[in-house]
Amino acid sequence: MGFTALDKDSGLSTLNSFLEERSYIEGYTATQADVAVFEAVKTAPNSEKFPHAARWYKHIAAHGGKGANFPGTKKAASAYGPASAAAAPEPAAEDENDIDLFGSDDEEEDAEKAAETARRLEEYNKKKAAKPKTIAKSMVILDVKPWDDETDLKEMEKNVRSIEKDGLVWGTSKLVAVGFGIKKLQITAVVEDDKVSVDELIEQITEFEDHVQSVDIQAFNKL
C-alpha cells in the first residue's frame, strides 16, 4: 500500500502517474505528506522521464524541502499514494459452487447475460472514445526577482511576456516589495501540461540575466 522504492524508476513512475492530475500528495496545499515523500525520493527526478514528479519535487524544494514547515503530521512515505500500489491478491481457487455468478444453472441464460454485458461494454467504450479529450491545464504564479532596486522592472516584465509558446497564456502581474527598496515581479501564467514545461519556462526567464536574478514558483494548481 502506498509509495515504495521512490529512489528507483519503478517507484518514481508510480509517483509520476499519481501527480499527473494532482499538485500535492494530499489535498490542495502542501503538507507533511509532501515532506515525507520528498525525503523518500532523495534526488530530483528526471524531468524528461518523470515530468510531473520533477515539477512537484522542484516546487517542494523551493519551499524548504525536507525542512519545510508544512502543516500536518508526517508519516512514512508508504502511508501515502494510490491504493492500487498494493500487491494484487492471488486469485482464489475456482469452486464449482461459485462458477455461476447469477445463481443460475441455466447455461443458455448465462450466455445471454454475457452477450448483453459485452454489448453494453462495447457501447460504453464507443461513447467514451467519442467524448472530446479534456486538456489538462495548470495555473502557475512565478516570483521573478531582480538583481537590485535599480533594475528596470518594466523592461523585465516585457522580457518575460516576450516568451511565447503554444499552450502558454500570460495573465495578471504585480510588483511585490521584498525589502531594502527592492520589488519582485509576481506574474501568473496558464499552461497546457502536455505542451509547456514549467521548468523549461523558468530556465528561459532566467536567461534574461541582465534583469533577472532568480525565479521561484509561488503557487502551482491544476485547473
Side-chain angles (χ1 to χ4, degrees):
M1 176 70 102
F3 295 120
T4 58
L6 289 173
D7 56 343
K8 297 181 175 62
D9 281 4
S10 58
L12 288 174
S13 179
T14 300
L15 177 63
N16 190 66
S17 298
F18 183 80
L19 291 169
E20 185 174 356
E21 296 183 359
R22 297 175 174 86
S23 297
Y24 302 103
I25 300 301
E26 286 190 337
Y28 298 98
T29 59
T31 65
Q32 286 299 312
D34 295 276
V35 176
V37 177
F38 181 92
E39 290 178 348
V41 172
K42 296 182 180 179
T43 59
N46 185 306
S47 60
E48 293 184 2
K49 294 172 66 177
F50 312 110
H52 306 297
R55 176 260 303 164
W56 166 84
Y57 187 95
K58 187 168 185 177
H59 180 51
I60 299 303
H63 286 78
K66 295 180 181 180
N69 189 27
F70 297 142
T73 301
K74 185 170 66 175
K75 304 176 185 177
S78 59
Y80 309 103
S84 57
E90 289 291 330
E94 203 172 52
D95 189 296
E96 61 180 6
N97 294 324
D98 296 331
I99 294 176
D100 183 7
L101 299 179
F102 299 98
S104 171
D105 294 328
D106 190 338
E107 294 183 2
E108 183 177 347
E109 182 181 347
D110 288 348
E112 290 177 356
K113 288 182 178 180
E116 177 66 13
T117 299
R119 183 186 67 79
R120 291 185 178 184
L121 182 60
E122 183 179 0
E123 288 181 356
Y124 169 76
N125 288 333
K126 286 181 179 180
K127 290 180 180 179
K128 186 177 180 180
K131 288 183 178 180
K133 183 180 178 182
T134 301
I135 300 176
K137 294 182 179 181
S138 299
M139 183 181 74
V140 59
I141 300 176
L142 300 175
D143 281 345
V144 185
K145 299 175 182 177
W147 288 104
D148 51 39
D149 59 348
E150 295 183 358
T151 300
D152 188 337
L153 299 181
K154 289 184 178 180
E155 184 66 21
M156 184 171 74
E157 180 175 355
K158 181 180 178 182
N159 290 337
V160 172
R161 290 185 182 275
S162 70
I163 299 175
E164 296 181 351
K165 292 174 177 286
D166 183 22
L168 167 66
V169 178
W170 292 110
T172 59
S173 65
K174 63 180 179 180
L175 298 179
V176 180
V178 296
F180 303 102
I182 301 175
K183 294 182 179 180
K184 64 183 177 182
L185 171 67
Q186 195 169 91
I187 188 167
T188 302
V190 174
V191 299
E192 292 184 24
D193 296 344
D194 291 340
K195 295 181 179 180
V196 180
S197 165
V198 175
D199 291 340
E200 291 180 2
L201 178 61
I202 289 174
E203 289 179 5
Q204 282 187 267
I205 296 174
T206 55
E207 288 177 2
F208 298 114
E209 55 188 20
D210 289 342
H211 295 84
V212 178
Q213 179 195 56
S214 63
V215 181
D216 294 322
I217 297 176
Q218 200 278 332
F220 192 108
N221 293 291
K222 293 286 185 179
L223 297 179

